[in-house]
Amino acid sequence: MANEAPANVIPIPNDEESVASNADDKDMVKWRGNLVPREEAKALRHVFDELKDHFGHQQPDPHVRVNVASFKHPGHGLMWHGNLDFTYQIEGEHCNLGYIGMDVCIDLIPKKCQKQGEPTLKDYGKTWVYVYTPQETLDKFIKYVKTGTGWGVSTDGTVHDPNRNLVAIEARLHHQTDQPKPSFWVAKNRDASIGDMSFSRMGSIQEVNETSAQQRVHRGIGIFSVSLEVEGTRNFEPTPGTRDDANLCFTLVSVRTWGITDCVAPIVHAPSKWF
């Protein structure tokens, strides 16, 4: 997996509970204060509010199809980037959205910034974090990507914990001023089923990461934008079967949490340097 910034970044939806002006266009509706097309609002509610069709442990197979429209080349280097699009079947209607949910544990435990005088986890909690997910959950997602796009996926860059059968993924966080920062939500009624939970927003992940009481491993559902990164030549767009497997690049845009876990052994330094 890679976490290099893709050339064609999907804008993060602002899911703060703000107020918007009235929409004159009948095809535009309000979702959390944002004016968006009706079909997009339906998919946003489905994924962000109702937490449906996410990839998770002991969850039914999501009713979603994975697509990649095309790749773009940044103009330098050998890597091409293509954003994944997800088509949900909602009440008999096919709705496209650039986001997918997945069962994760998000690691907000402070990391060692130096090891033997060398920087390791630079900007942790500001521009990226580790999220942990069951191996079978990631395997299922990779299968959907292969079926929908034709691309096989490399797992290079992930860290596998064989004791817990968990995979650690480096998830990017938007931190630029022109993008809403990823939001952190906490369940109000933690004993309820996922579909009946309601959540309150604590702030951005970066803000929560600065609070000592919250510097733990949190269980919940992460909502991501995902892109494919494929090596190729500048003048020819890569196609499945002509190149090696693609890398997945995850960007965490929001997280819904309902508890803290001590059952995950957090990473404390950059493991890729020693494994």
Side-chain angles (χ1 to χ4, degrees), residues 43-68:
L44 286 167
R45 287 193 294 267
H46 188 79
V47 174
F48 283 79
D49 299 338
E50 300 168 2
L51 302 177
K52 292 183 177 179
D53 284 328
H54 69 276
F55 287 82
H57 182 58
Q58 296 180 341
Q59 292 290 324
D61 289 347
H63 296 289
V64 62
R65 186 173 68 247
V66 183
N67 318 283
V68 58

Side-chain angles (χ1 to χ4, degrees), residues 1 20 85 96 156 235 257 267 269 271:
M1 308 281 171
D85 188 63
N96 294 327
D156 291 347
N235 297 324
T257 68
I267 293 173
H269 56 69

Side-chain angles (χ1 to χ4, degrees), residues 16 181-185 200-208:
E16 295 186 29
K181 290 183 173 64
S183 55
F184 189 100
W185 298 69
S200 60
R201 188 180 187 276
M202 291 188 64
S204 69
I205 291 176
Q206 289 92 335
E207 290 169 337
V208 174

Side-chain angles (χ1 to χ4, degrees), residues 39 42-43 65 86-96:
E39 179 186 285
K42 193 172 185 178
R65 186 173 68 247
F86 304 94
T87 303
Y88 296 91
Q89 186 175 341
I90 308 172
E91 299 174 349
E93 185 176 4
H94 291 93
C95 302
N96 294 327

Side-chain angles (χ1 to χ4, degrees), residues 162-181:
N163 296 318
R164 304 288 184 184
N165 200 28
L166 294 175
V167 179
I169 299 171
E170 297 181 17
R172 296 176 59 246
L173 304 174
H174 280 296
H175 58 283
Q176 301 89 340
T177 56
D178 60 341
Q179 282 272 9
K181 290 183 173 64

Side-chain angles (χ1 to χ4, degrees), residues 6-49:
N8 44 338
V9 176
I10 299 176
I12 296 179
N14 187 351
D15 62 343
E16 295 186 29
E17 296 176 304
S18 55
V19 178
S21 58
N22 293 328
D24 295 329
D25 191 335
K26 64 180 180 180
D27 292 327
M28 300 292 288
V29 298
K30 287 192 292 185
W31 176 78
R32 293 193 177 277
N34 302 278
L35 295 178
V36 297
R38 181 191 61 82
E39 179 186 285
E40 182 179 352
K42 193 172 185 178
L44 286 167
R45 287 193 294 267
H46 188 79
V47 174
F48 283 79
D49 299 338

Side-chain angles (χ1 to χ4, degrees), residues 129-230:
V129 291
Y130 279 119
V131 295
Y132 310 110
T133 193
Q135 179 71 62
E136 61 191 54
T137 299
L138 181 61
D139 289 343
K140 179 175 289 188
F141 180 70
I142 288 174
K143 182 179 179 181
Y144 271 63
V145 173
K146 171 68 173 178
T147 300
T149 69
W151 282 100
V153 173
S154 170
T155 56
D156 291 347
T158 60
V159 181
H160 181 230
D161 178 356
N163 296 318
R164 304 288 184 184
N165 200 28
L166 294 175
V167 179
I169 299 171
E170 297 181 17
R172 296 176 59 246
L173 304 174
H174 280 296
H175 58 283
Q176 301 89 340
T177 56
D178 60 341
Q179 282 272 9
K181 290 183 173 64
S183 55
F184 189 100
W185 298 69
V186 176
K188 300 177 182 178
N189 45 344
R190 299 181 181 183
D191 295 330
S193 63
I194 292 178
D196 295 327
M197 282 185 178
S198 58
F199 296 85
S200 60
R201 188 180 187 276
M202 291 188 64
S204 69
I205 291 176
Q206 289 92 335
E207 290 169 337
V208 174
N209 182 64
E210 294 294 327
T211 306
S212 58
Q214 300 298 330
Q215 292 175 345
R216 306 286 296 277
V217 177
H218 300 261
R219 297 183 297 113
I221 294 177
I223 301 170
F224 301 87
S225 63
V226 189
S227 62
L228 287 180
E229 185 181 75
V230 182

